Amino acid sequence: MWDLAVPLDFRVAMTSSHIANVMQERRVFPPPAEFVARARIRSQAEYEAMWQEAAADPAAFWGRLAGELHWFEPYREVLQWNEPFASWFVGGRTNACYNCLDVHLGTPRQNKAALIWEGEPGEVRVLTYGMLHREVCRFANGLRSLGVRQGDVVSIYMPMVPELVIAMLACARIGAVHSVIFGGFSSEAIADRNNDARAKVQITADAGWRRGQQLPLKQNVDAALAKSPTVEKCVVLRRMGNSVPMQPDRDVWWHDLIAQAAPDAAAEPMDSEATLFILYTSGSTGKPKGIRHTTAGYSLYTKKTCEWVFDLRDEDIYWCTADCGWITGHSYIVYGPLAAGATVVIYEGAPNWPQEDRFWQIIENHRVSIFYTAPTAIRSFIKWGDHWVDKHDLSSLRLLGTVGEGINPEAWMWYHRKIGRERCPIVDTWWQTETGGIMMSPLPGVTPTKPGSCTRPLPGVVPKIVTPEGNEVAVNQGGWLVIAQPWPGMLRGIWGDDQRYREQYWSRVPHHYLTGDNARRDEDGYYWIMGRIDDVLNVAGHRLSTIEIESALVSHPLVAEAAAVGRPDEIKGEAVAVFVVLRSGEPSDALREELRRHVRKEIGALAQPDDIRFTNALPKTRSGKIMRRLLRDIAAGRETVGDTTTLEDYSVLARLREQEE
Ligand code: PRX
């Protein structure tokens, strides 16, 4: 389709804001009739009417829905917008924990399973809404007895056990601010976050399970607390029964703390805008930033988006495979689904433990009906082979979801065919730590899906695609994805750094929230995320999005996973360097040539990789995102600089460096 022999003047004529769109995906999958018949929202007209109402008058739209929360005191005003600071439900008082638990007491949901937890070694625990309420109250009383008060920051570093959810909800109940730190982070990372947040109390466990190994959580915390002077107390859950050193004035066992605690604790009536939690995420600078979310708007936004996107029904068994250490766990394991009264499956461990079919085994055992996971996991499943899937009865599934990165169309097709058996809609949900909840996604009973597109914005979300100068681009042209209107789940700032908040999100394109993503909108109004703004390659005057090249590579039968980055090139500006994980077959020059040909065929000569390196694994963050910054350094032959604390496996870096073309 593309020919590098384009005349020079054509290349010069490409404006800096133009991103060449080379992805051709024409398949469309309407929602299955059987699904539509039972869906909560089932017609395009209904969706359009909601979207139009929310865009025209957000206050009226969200004000109407706000009655679904419990209010200790009513709010005076739905929205005060003092750009870039939003206040939602001004003057009202509510409590995020109350909205997840107490609202279900005295209803048929009281004795319904809230959590079905499976540990990595195989044990299962079920907590009903009534039981979860009691455990949360006991722990809330325990925290109060340690002196935790409204506004205090509690740092949580735990394995994926029910007590992690209990700890989060207990903080919310008493008005403390939780800062959950993913259990895979190092002690350095914990200390950085504790100090930035000025955490007062730490909660952890003796250890956690991961792929049959014990993660020494308490040991990491001990090292972190030596450098976290603000932390006064540390609560330790006994998960393994290991003997761990306890520091007498500081450390207390979870079971001792709650031994005498009453199973009832009043929920604090919190101001709508009281901070519910901070969650640290990486920025482009390498210094993690604490994204701040507040009480009422976040509670409402996560509940409603959960109901719309997952079409939740009381009889569903819902499983989101994220860890509570990430925003997906906060919004779609804890606050959204519990407010919606769902039954939530939580799994502690790795997807390939003891074997590569653990996820399918869990779906079969617990009769999971809604399954929400990440494209990176899907690519691993593909690599491990279909025989792991074929051993299991997945007929309980009715809806599939993805989150965290764009999904390559070929991986989407595999998910659709192999896991969904062509009967389950797939919701590709686009959002961010900062957005609090899902922003763009198909509605499963309404939206025809296209593999690789997150389709259309949810009600209340008004996206635009603009040039760096702020002008909207034409159909099918790439540009910066911005959001034109505040929404209830949006971040309220960066903890302790209003200046960085303004600069990073609100200064580049006036009066718009800058997502940091590139996207295009097609002729049907569907959005296609084209990677981060800094993932854009500029090859011979053309901009290319990395995901398009990666999708092309992954569509080759021998390729399991691929990452594309740019490296400096004297002639073309940037050359395309790709890192390829093979599904089968051996690396060879012939295969390199074949892959080049394949990309040329799929996209055009423009995108043809200059360097192809084969590798067994890609460097990823613990949430599964490819660390392109590191790959760019490797591709350019540079030393890696900056923050590598989120890297899953350091040996990957060393192995990649050893590889020369
Ligand atoms: O680049 C987008 C990508 O992940 C970024 C947000 O990352 P994080 O804050 O860690 O939150 C991940 C979980 C919500 C986005 O800016 N991203 C997330 N979902 C998608 C996606 N890219 C394409 N398609 C998606 N569905």
Side-chain angles (χ1 to χ4, degrees), residues 281 326-328 372 402-407 428-435 440 452 454 515-517 529-532 547 623 625:
T281 183
W326 310 111
I327 191 67
T328 307
Y372 187 35
T402 65
V403 59
E405 59 177 311
I407 180 163
D428 174 347
T429 63
W430 175 84
W431 57 297
Q432 310 177 294
T433 304
E434 291 88 339
T435 68
M440 294 201 267
C454 60
T515 67
D517 281 348
I529 304 296
M530 301 166 76
R532 299 290 300 179
I547 192 169
S623 65
K625 275 201 192 18

PDB file of all heavy atoms in Angstrom, residues 281 326-328 372 402-407 428-435 440 452 454 515-517 529-532 547 623 625, ligand 1:
ATOM      1  N   THR A 281       1.455   6.140  39.788  1.00  0.00           N
ATOM      2  CA  THR A 281       1.628   5.630  38.434  1.00  0.00           C
ATOM      3  C   THR A 281       2.840   6.321  37.822  1.00  0.00           C
ATOM      4  O   THR A 281       3.219   7.408  38.257  1.00  0.00           O
ATOM      5  CB  THR A 281       0.351   5.869  37.595  1.00  0.00           C
ATOM      6  OG1 THR A 281       0.531   5.290  36.311  1.00  0.00           O
ATOM      7  CG2 THR A 281       0.044   7.338  37.409  1.00  0.00           C
ATOM      8  N   TRP A 326      -3.298  -1.955  41.049  1.00  0.00           N
ATOM      9  CA  TRP A 326      -3.462  -1.088  39.872  1.00  0.00           C
ATOM     10  C   TRP A 326      -4.862  -0.492  39.871  1.00  0.00           C
ATOM     11  O   TRP A 326      -5.760  -0.980  40.558  1.00  0.00           O
ATOM     12  CB  TRP A 326      -3.241  -1.881  38.575  1.00  0.00           C
ATOM     13  CG  TRP A 326      -1.978  -2.677  38.602  1.00  0.00           C
ATOM     14  CD1 TRP A 326      -1.883  -4.033  38.655  1.00  0.00           C
ATOM     15  CD2 TRP A 326      -0.635  -2.176  38.616  1.00  0.00           C
ATOM     16  NE1 TRP A 326      -0.565  -4.403  38.694  1.00  0.00           N
ATOM     17  CE2 TRP A 326       0.224  -3.291  38.676  1.00  0.00           C
ATOM     18  CE3 TRP A 326      -0.080  -0.888  38.577  1.00  0.00           C
ATOM     19  CZ2 TRP A 326       1.609  -3.161  38.691  1.00  0.00           C
ATOM     20  CZ3 TRP A 326       1.305  -0.762  38.609  1.00  0.00           C
ATOM     21  CH2 TRP A 326       2.129  -1.890  38.652  1.00  0.00           C
ATOM     22  N   ILE A 327      -5.057   0.498  39.032  1.00  0.00           N
ATOM     23  CA  ILE A 327      -6.366   1.173  39.014  1.00  0.00           C
ATOM     24  C   ILE A 327      -7.479   0.196  38.622  1.00  0.00           C
ATOM     25  O   ILE A 327      -8.595   0.286  39.114  1.00  0.00           O
ATOM     26  CB  ILE A 327      -6.356   2.408  38.074  1.00  0.00           C
ATOM     27  CG1 ILE A 327      -7.621   3.259  38.257  1.00  0.00           C
ATOM     28  CG2 ILE A 327      -6.227   2.001  36.618  1.00  0.00           C
ATOM     29  CD1 ILE A 327      -7.749   3.940  39.585  1.00  0.00           C
ATOM     30  N   THR A 328      -7.173  -0.759  37.751  1.00  0.00           N
ATOM     31  CA  THR A 328      -8.216  -1.697  37.334  1.00  0.00           C
ATOM     32  C   THR A 328      -8.750  -2.464  38.540  1.00  0.00           C
ATOM     33  O   THR A 328      -9.956  -2.691  38.658  1.00  0.00           O
ATOM     34  CB  THR A 328      -7.681  -2.665  36.260  1.00  0.00           C
ATOM     35  OG1 THR A 328      -7.113  -1.883  35.205  1.00  0.00           O
ATOM     36  CG2 THR A 328      -8.786  -3.531  35.698  1.00  0.00           C
ATOM     37  N   TYR A 372     -12.575 -10.440  32.513  1.00  0.00           N
ATOM     38  CA  TYR A 372     -11.964  -9.157  32.132  1.00  0.00           C
ATOM     39  C   TYR A 372     -10.467  -9.268  32.356  1.00  0.00           C
ATOM     40  O   TYR A 372     -10.027  -9.449  33.489  1.00  0.00           O
ATOM     41  CB  TYR A 372     -12.589  -8.086  33.022  1.00  0.00           C
ATOM     42  CG  TYR A 372     -12.269  -6.631  32.736  1.00  0.00           C
ATOM     43  CD1 TYR A 372     -12.083  -6.151  31.441  1.00  0.00           C
ATOM     44  CD2 TYR A 372     -12.220  -5.707  33.786  1.00  0.00           C
ATOM     45  CE1 TYR A 372     -11.840  -4.806  31.212  1.00  0.00           C
ATOM     46  CE2 TYR A 372     -11.979  -4.354  33.568  1.00  0.00           C
ATOM     47  CZ  TYR A 372     -11.786  -3.909  32.280  1.00  0.00           C
ATOM     48  OH  TYR A 372     -11.554  -2.571  32.059  1.00  0.00           O
ATOM     49  N   THR A 402     -11.251  -6.532  27.761  1.00  0.00           N
ATOM     50  CA  THR A 402      -9.804  -6.302  27.782  1.00  0.00           C
ATOM     51  C   THR A 402      -9.527  -4.888  28.259  1.00  0.00           C
ATOM     52  O   THR A 402     -10.353  -3.995  28.105  1.00  0.00           O
ATOM     53  CB  THR A 402      -9.142  -6.461  26.396  1.00  0.00           C
ATOM     54  OG1 THR A 402      -9.637  -5.436  25.528  1.00  0.00           O
ATOM     55  CG2 THR A 402      -9.406  -7.811  25.788  1.00  0.00           C
ATOM     56  N   VAL A 403      -8.341  -4.695  28.799  1.00  0.00           N
ATOM     57  CA  VAL A 403      -7.944  -3.384  29.310  1.00  0.00           C
ATOM     58  C   VAL A 403      -6.434  -3.284  29.383  1.00  0.00           C
ATOM     59  O   VAL A 403      -5.748  -4.287  29.538  1.00  0.00           O
ATOM     60  CB  VAL A 403      -8.527  -3.135  30.712  1.00  0.00           C
ATOM     61  CG1 VAL A 403      -8.077  -4.177  31.718  1.00  0.00           C
ATOM     62  CG2 VAL A 403      -8.184  -1.735  31.226  1.00  0.00           C
ATOM     63  N   GLY A 404      -5.932  -2.089  29.260  1.00  0.00           N
ATOM     64  CA  GLY A 404      -4.528  -1.820  29.577  1.00  0.00           C
ATOM     65  C   GLY A 404      -3.688  -1.432  28.381  1.00  0.00           C
ATOM     66  O   GLY A 404      -2.722  -0.714  28.507  1.00  0.00           O
ATOM     67  N   GLU A 405      -4.030  -1.918  27.249  1.00  0.00           N
ATOM     68  CA  GLU A 405      -3.318  -1.558  26.021  1.00  0.00           C
ATOM     69  C   GLU A 405      -4.213  -1.956  24.860  1.00  0.00           C
ATOM     70  O   GLU A 405      -5.214  -2.651  25.053  1.00  0.00           O
ATOM     71  CB  GLU A 405      -1.976  -2.284  25.943  1.00  0.00           C
ATOM     72  CG  GLU A 405      -2.136  -3.782  25.967  1.00  0.00           C
ATOM     73  CD  GLU A 405      -0.831  -4.540  25.825  1.00  0.00           C
ATOM     74  OE1 GLU A 405      -0.063  -4.218  24.913  1.00  0.00           O
ATOM     75  OE2 GLU A 405      -0.607  -5.464  26.610  1.00  0.00           O
ATOM     76  N   GLY A 406      -3.842  -1.498  23.701  1.00  0.00           N
ATOM     77  CA  GLY A 406      -4.608  -1.892  22.536  1.00  0.00           C
ATOM     78  C   GLY A 406      -4.455  -3.382  22.310  1.00  0.00           C
ATOM     79  O   GLY A 406      -3.429  -3.963  22.667  1.00  0.00           O
ATOM     80  N   ILE A 407      -5.466  -3.976  21.764  1.00  0.00           N
ATOM     81  CA  ILE A 407      -5.359  -5.413  21.471  1.00  0.00           C
ATOM     82  C   ILE A 407      -5.142  -5.573  19.974  1.00  0.00           C
ATOM     83  O   ILE A 407      -5.849  -4.974  19.166  1.00  0.00           O
ATOM     84  CB  ILE A 407      -6.577  -6.201  21.992  1.00  0.00           C
ATOM     85  CG1 ILE A 407      -6.428  -7.697  21.682  1.00  0.00           C
ATOM     86  CG2 ILE A 407      -7.906  -5.661  21.466  1.00  0.00           C
ATOM     87  CD1 ILE A 407      -7.361  -8.579  22.492  1.00  0.00           C
ATOM     88  N   ASP A 428     -13.589  -3.918  24.648  1.00  0.00           N
ATOM     89  CA  ASP A 428     -12.221  -3.396  24.688  1.00  0.00           C
ATOM     90  C   ASP A 428     -12.334  -2.034  25.359  1.00  0.00           C
ATOM     91  O   ASP A 428     -12.852  -1.085  24.776  1.00  0.00           O
ATOM     92  CB  ASP A 428     -11.695  -3.286  23.251  1.00  0.00           C
ATOM     93  CG  ASP A 428     -10.323  -2.624  23.153  1.00  0.00           C
ATOM     94  OD1 ASP A 428      -9.853  -2.019  24.132  1.00  0.00           O
ATOM     95  OD2 ASP A 428      -9.726  -2.692  22.057  1.00  0.00           O
ATOM     96  N   THR A 429     -11.892  -1.959  26.613  1.00  0.00           N
ATOM     97  CA  THR A 429     -12.161  -0.769  27.425  1.00  0.00           C
ATOM     98  C   THR A 429     -10.933   0.130  27.484  1.00  0.00           C
ATOM     99  O   THR A 429      -9.883  -0.271  27.961  1.00  0.00           O
ATOM    100  CB  THR A 429     -12.543  -1.179  28.860  1.00  0.00           C
ATOM    101  OG1 THR A 429     -11.445  -1.854  29.480  1.00  0.00           O
ATOM    102  CG2 THR A 429     -13.756  -2.102  28.853  1.00  0.00           C
ATOM    103  N   TRP A 430     -11.084   1.351  26.997  1.00  0.00           N
ATOM    104  CA  TRP A 430      -9.976   2.308  27.068  1.00  0.00           C
ATOM    105  C   TRP A 430     -10.182   3.243  28.248  1.00  0.00           C
ATOM    106  O   TRP A 430     -11.258   3.849  28.397  1.00  0.00           O
ATOM    107  CB  TRP A 430      -9.861   3.151  25.788  1.00  0.00           C
ATOM    108  CG  TRP A 430      -8.792   4.197  25.966  1.00  0.00           C
ATOM    109  CD1 TRP A 430      -7.455   4.024  25.777  1.00  0.00           C
ATOM    110  CD2 TRP A 430      -8.963   5.532  26.460  1.00  0.00           C
ATOM    111  NE1 TRP A 430      -6.785   5.174  26.122  1.00  0.00           N
ATOM    112  CE2 TRP A 430      -7.679   6.108  26.536  1.00  0.00           C
ATOM    113  CE3 TRP A 430     -10.068   6.291  26.843  1.00  0.00           C
ATOM    114  CZ2 TRP A 430      -7.470   7.416  26.976  1.00  0.00           C
ATOM    115  CZ3 TRP A 430      -9.863   7.594  27.292  1.00  0.00           C
ATOM    116  CH2 TRP A 430      -8.575   8.148  27.340  1.00  0.00           C
ATOM    117  N   TRP A 431      -9.175   3.344  29.069  1.00  0.00           N
ATOM    118  CA  TRP A 431      -9.189   4.321  30.168  1.00  0.00           C
ATOM    119  C   TRP A 431      -7.816   4.376  30.782  1.00  0.00           C
ATOM    120  O   TRP A 431      -6.876   3.781  30.252  1.00  0.00           O
ATOM    121  CB  TRP A 431     -10.281   3.995  31.189  1.00  0.00           C
ATOM    122  CG  TRP A 431     -10.234   2.627  31.829  1.00  0.00           C
ATOM    123  CD1 TRP A 431     -10.369   1.424  31.206  1.00  0.00           C
ATOM    124  CD2 TRP A 431     -10.038   2.338  33.220  1.00  0.00           C
ATOM    125  NE1 TRP A 431     -10.283   0.407  32.128  1.00  0.00           N
ATOM    126  CE2 TRP A 431     -10.078   0.944  33.379  1.00  0.00           C
ATOM    127  CE3 TRP A 431      -9.853   3.125  34.361  1.00  0.00           C
ATOM    128  CZ2 TRP A 431      -9.914   0.321  34.613  1.00  0.00           C
ATOM    129  CZ3 TRP A 431      -9.713   2.513  35.586  1.00  0.00           C
ATOM    130  CH2 TRP A 431      -9.743   1.123  35.703  1.00  0.00           C
ATOM    131  N   GLN A 432      -7.674   5.101  31.887  1.00  0.00           N
ATOM    132  CA  GLN A 432      -6.360   5.350  32.489  1.00  0.00           C
ATOM    133  C   GLN A 432      -6.495   5.452  34.004  1.00  0.00           C
ATOM    134  O   GLN A 432      -7.595   5.716  34.509  1.00  0.00           O
ATOM    135  CB  GLN A 432      -5.810   6.698  32.007  1.00  0.00           C
ATOM    136  CG  GLN A 432      -5.829   6.905  30.525  1.00  0.00           C
ATOM    137  CD  GLN A 432      -5.348   8.288  30.141  1.00  0.00           C
ATOM    138  OE1 GLN A 432      -5.980   9.288  30.452  1.00  0.00           O
ATOM    139  NE2 GLN A 432      -4.210   8.347  29.471  1.00  0.00           N
ATOM    140  N   THR A 433      -5.369   5.322  34.692  1.00  0.00           N
ATOM    141  CA  THR A 433      -5.357   5.567  36.137  1.00  0.00           C
ATOM    142  C   THR A 433      -6.035   6.909  36.428  1.00  0.00           C
ATOM    143  O   THR A 433      -6.824   7.045  37.361  1.00  0.00           O
ATOM    144  CB  THR A 433      -3.896   5.612  36.648  1.00  0.00           C
ATOM    145  OG1 THR A 433      -3.257   4.394  36.280  1.00  0.00           O
ATOM    146  CG2 THR A 433      -3.836   5.775  38.157  1.00  0.00           C
ATOM    147  N   GLU A 434      -5.728   7.874  35.612  1.00  0.00           N
ATOM    148  CA  GLU A 434      -6.225   9.230  35.829  1.00  0.00           C
ATOM    149  C   GLU A 434      -7.729   9.355  35.616  1.00  0.00           C
ATOM    150  O   GLU A 434      -8.379  10.207  36.227  1.00  0.00           O
ATOM    151  CB  GLU A 434      -5.533  10.204  34.863  1.00  0.00           C
ATOM    152  CG  GLU A 434      -4.053  10.434  35.135  1.00  0.00           C
ATOM    153  CD  GLU A 434      -3.152   9.429  34.426  1.00  0.00           C
ATOM    154  OE1 GLU A 434      -3.638   8.327  34.050  1.00  0.00           O
ATOM    155  OE2 GLU A 434      -1.962   9.741  34.239  1.00  0.00           O
ATOM    156  N   THR A 435      -8.286   8.555  34.740  1.00  0.00           N
ATOM    157  CA  THR A 435      -9.710   8.739  34.422  1.00  0.00           C
ATOM    158  C   THR A 435     -10.608   8.055  35.453  1.00  0.00           C
ATOM    159  O   THR A 435     -11.810   8.289  35.458  1.00  0.00           O
ATOM    160  CB  THR A 435     -10.080   8.220  33.016  1.00  0.00           C
ATOM    161  OG1 THR A 435      -9.971   6.789  32.990  1.00  0.00           O
ATOM    162  CG2 THR A 435      -9.200   8.836  31.935  1.00  0.00           C
ATOM    163  N   MET A 440     -14.001   4.786  27.150  1.00  0.00           N
ATOM    164  CA  MET A 440     -14.515   4.353  25.844  1.00  0.00           C
ATOM    165  C   MET A 440     -14.575   2.838  25.856  1.00  0.00           C
ATOM    166  O   MET A 440     -13.652   2.168  26.323  1.00  0.00           O
ATOM    167  CB  MET A 440     -13.603   4.831  24.732  1.00  0.00           C
ATOM    168  CG  MET A 440     -13.610   6.342  24.606  1.00  0.00           C
ATOM    169  SD  MET A 440     -13.062   6.875  22.983  1.00  0.00           S
ATOM    170  CE  MET A 440     -11.344   7.104  23.294  1.00  0.00           C
ATOM    171  N   GLY A 452      -9.738  -4.469  17.695  1.00  0.00           N
ATOM    172  CA  GLY A 452      -8.681  -3.465  17.832  1.00  0.00           C
ATOM    173  C   GLY A 452      -9.190  -2.070  18.139  1.00  0.00           C
ATOM    174  O   GLY A 452      -8.398  -1.180  18.404  1.00  0.00           O
ATOM    175  N   CYS A 454     -11.603   0.460  20.563  1.00  0.00           N
ATOM    176  CA  CYS A 454     -12.367   0.568  21.813  1.00  0.00           C
ATOM    177  C   CYS A 454     -13.730   1.193  21.527  1.00  0.00           C
ATOM    178  O   CYS A 454     -14.460   1.529  22.463  1.00  0.00           O
ATOM    179  CB  CYS A 454     -11.577   1.347  22.853  1.00  0.00           C
ATOM    180  SG  CYS A 454     -11.178   3.020  22.337  1.00  0.00           S
ATOM    181  N   THR A 515      -4.823  13.255  27.311  1.00  0.00           N
ATOM    182  CA  THR A 515      -4.698  11.864  27.756  1.00  0.00           C
ATOM    183  C   THR A 515      -3.278  11.339  27.595  1.00  0.00           C
ATOM    184  O   THR A 515      -2.902  10.379  28.262  1.00  0.00           O
ATOM    185  CB  THR A 515      -5.618  10.930  26.944  1.00  0.00           C
ATOM    186  OG1 THR A 515      -5.138  10.900  25.591  1.00  0.00           O
ATOM    187  CG2 THR A 515      -7.063  11.388  26.977  1.00  0.00           C
ATOM    188  N   GLY A 516      -2.518  11.924  26.673  1.00  0.00           N
ATOM    189  CA  GLY A 516      -1.190  11.374  26.386  1.00  0.00           C
ATOM    190  C   GLY A 516      -1.230  10.266  25.355  1.00  0.00           C
ATOM    191  O   GLY A 516      -0.198   9.707  25.014  1.00  0.00           O
ATOM    192  N   ASP A 517      -2.412   9.944  24.856  1.00  0.00           N
ATOM    193  CA  ASP A 517      -2.538   8.912  23.818  1.00  0.00           C
ATOM    194  C   ASP A 517      -2.793   9.538  22.455  1.00  0.00           C
ATOM    195  O   ASP A 517      -3.420  10.592  22.354  1.00  0.00           O
ATOM    196  CB  ASP A 517      -3.719   7.973  24.124  1.00  0.00           C
ATOM    197  CG  ASP A 517      -3.370   6.946  25.185  1.00  0.00           C
ATOM    198  OD1 ASP A 517      -2.187   6.801  25.524  1.00  0.00           O
ATOM    199  OD2 ASP A 517      -4.301   6.294  25.676  1.00  0.00           O
ATOM    200  N   ILE A 529      -7.101   3.588  19.400  1.00  0.00           N
ATOM    201  CA  ILE A 529      -5.972   4.125  20.159  1.00  0.00           C
ATOM    202  C   ILE A 529      -4.697   3.704  19.437  1.00  0.00           C
ATOM    203  O   ILE A 529      -4.535   2.537  19.073  1.00  0.00           O
ATOM    204  CB  ILE A 529      -5.972   3.578  21.606  1.00  0.00           C
ATOM    205  CG1 ILE A 529      -7.305   3.869  22.296  1.00  0.00           C
ATOM    206  CG2 ILE A 529      -4.782   4.132  22.396  1.00  0.00           C
ATOM    207  CD1 ILE A 529      -7.631   5.319  22.499  1.00  0.00           C
ATOM    208  N   MET A 530      -3.820   4.660  19.229  1.00  0.00           N
ATOM    209  CA  MET A 530      -2.612   4.369  18.446  1.00  0.00           C
ATOM    210  C   MET A 530      -1.360   4.444  19.303  1.00  0.00           C
ATOM    211  O   MET A 530      -0.270   4.693  18.805  1.00  0.00           O
ATOM    212  CB  MET A 530      -2.523   5.349  17.277  1.00  0.00           C
ATOM    213  CG  MET A 530      -3.755   5.268  16.372  1.00  0.00           C
ATOM    214  SD  MET A 530      -3.885   6.661  15.247  1.00  0.00           S
ATOM    215  CE  MET A 530      -2.644   6.217  14.039  1.00  0.00           C
ATOM    216  N   GLY A 531      -1.496   4.235  20.580  1.00  0.00           N
ATOM    217  CA  GLY A 531      -0.321   4.236  21.453  1.00  0.00           C
ATOM    218  C   GLY A 531      -0.092   5.603  22.080  1.00  0.00           C
ATOM    219  O   GLY A 531      -0.798   6.561  21.803  1.00  0.00           O
ATOM    220  N   ARG A 532       0.891   5.656  22.938  1.00  0.00           N
ATOM    221  CA  ARG A 532       1.193   6.892  23.634  1.00  0.00           C
ATOM    222  C   ARG A 532       1.779   7.917  22.670  1.00  0.00           C
ATOM    223  O   ARG A 532       2.346   7.560  21.639  1.00  0.00           O
ATOM    224  CB  ARG A 532       2.199   6.616  24.759  1.00  0.00           C
ATOM    225  CG  ARG A 532       1.703   5.666  25.803  1.00  0.00           C
ATOM    226  CD  ARG A 532       0.622   6.259  26.647  1.00  0.00           C
ATOM    227  NE  ARG A 532       1.081   7.461  27.355  1.00  0.00           N
ATOM    228  CZ  ARG A 532       0.279   8.184  28.151  1.00  0.00           C
ATOM    229  NH1 ARG A 532      -0.983   7.853  28.312  1.00  0.00           N
ATOM    230  NH2 ARG A 532       0.753   9.228  28.770  1.00  0.00           N
ATOM    231  N   ILE A 547       1.834   0.417  17.540  1.00  0.00           N
ATOM    232  CA  ILE A 547       0.917  -0.726  17.660  1.00  0.00           C
ATOM    233  C   ILE A 547       0.538  -1.277  16.287  1.00  0.00           C
ATOM    234  O   ILE A 547       0.265  -2.466  16.128  1.00  0.00           O
ATOM    235  CB  ILE A 547      -0.338  -0.374  18.478  1.00  0.00           C
ATOM    236  CG1 ILE A 547      -1.097  -1.665  18.808  1.00  0.00           C
ATOM    237  CG2 ILE A 547      -1.217   0.603  17.796  1.00  0.00           C
ATOM    238  CD1 ILE A 547      -2.195  -1.497  19.802  1.00  0.00           C
ATOM    239  N   SER A 623       2.618  -4.606  35.563  1.00  0.00           N
ATOM    240  CA  SER A 623       1.232  -4.642  35.104  1.00  0.00           C
ATOM    241  C   SER A 623       1.163  -5.130  33.668  1.00  0.00           C
ATOM    242  O   SER A 623       0.100  -5.167  33.071  1.00  0.00           O
ATOM    243  CB  SER A 623       0.593  -3.266  35.228  1.00  0.00           C
ATOM    244  OG  SER A 623       1.237  -2.359  34.370  1.00  0.00           O
ATOM    245  N   LYS A 625       2.820  -3.912  30.923  1.00  0.00           N
ATOM    246  CA  LYS A 625       3.064  -2.977  29.814  1.00  0.00           C
ATOM    247  C   LYS A 625       4.511  -3.101  29.346  1.00  0.00           C
ATOM    248  O   LYS A 625       5.432  -3.158  30.156  1.00  0.00           O
ATOM    249  CB  LYS A 625       2.867  -1.548  30.299  1.00  0.00           C
ATOM    250  CG  LYS A 625       1.453  -1.114  30.235  1.00  0.00           C
ATOM    251  CD  LYS A 625       1.410   0.386  30.216  1.00  0.00           C
ATOM    252  CE  LYS A 625       0.022   0.878  30.451  1.00  0.00           C
ATOM    253  NZ  LYS A 625      -0.904  -0.040  31.022  1.00  0.00           N
TER     254      LYS A 625
HETATM  255  O1  PRX B   1      -2.163   4.169  26.490  1.00  0.00           O
HETATM  256  C1  PRX B   1      -3.389   3.808  27.046  1.00  0.00           C
HETATM  257  C2  PRX B   1      -3.326   2.375  27.516  1.00  0.00           C
HETATM  258  O2  PRX B   1      -2.939   2.417  28.869  1.00  0.00           O
HETATM  259  C3  PRX B   1      -2.815   3.777  29.294  1.00  0.00           C
HETATM  260  C4  PRX B   1      -3.270   3.919  30.720  1.00  0.00           C
HETATM  261  O3  PRX B   1      -2.472   3.121  31.527  1.00  0.00           O
HETATM  262  P1  PRX B   1      -2.796   2.966  33.058  1.00  0.00           P
HETATM  263  O4  PRX B   1      -2.974   4.309  33.671  1.00  0.00           O
HETATM  264  O5  PRX B   1      -1.748   2.086  33.608  1.00  0.00           O
HETATM  265  O6  PRX B   1      -4.195   2.277  33.140  1.00  0.00           O
HETATM  266  C5  PRX B   1      -4.361   0.999  32.592  1.00  0.00           C
HETATM  267  C6  PRX B   1      -5.707   0.445  32.994  1.00  0.00           C
HETATM  268  C7  PRX B   1      -6.848   1.332  32.717  1.00  0.00           C
HETATM  269  C8  PRX B   1      -3.639   4.551  28.328  1.00  0.00           C
HETATM  270  O7  PRX B   1      -3.259   5.912  28.281  1.00  0.00           O
HETATM  271  N1  PRX B   1      -4.618   1.711  27.407  1.00  0.00           N
HETATM  272  C9  PRX B   1      -5.439   1.356  28.406  1.00  0.00           C
HETATM  273  N2  PRX B   1      -6.516   0.693  27.911  1.00  0.00           N
HETATM  274  C10 PRX B   1      -6.369   0.652  26.578  1.00  0.00           C
HETATM  275  C11 PRX B   1      -5.159   1.305  26.254  1.00  0.00           C
HETATM  276  N3  PRX B   1      -4.749   1.433  24.986  1.00  0.00           N
HETATM  277  C12 PRX B   1      -5.516   0.928  24.014  1.00  0.00           C
HETATM  278  N4  PRX B   1      -6.681   0.293  24.258  1.00  0.00           N
HETATM  279  C13 PRX B   1      -7.147   0.119  25.509  1.00  0.00           C
HETATM  280  N5  PRX B   1      -8.286  -0.532  25.725  1.00  0.00           N
END
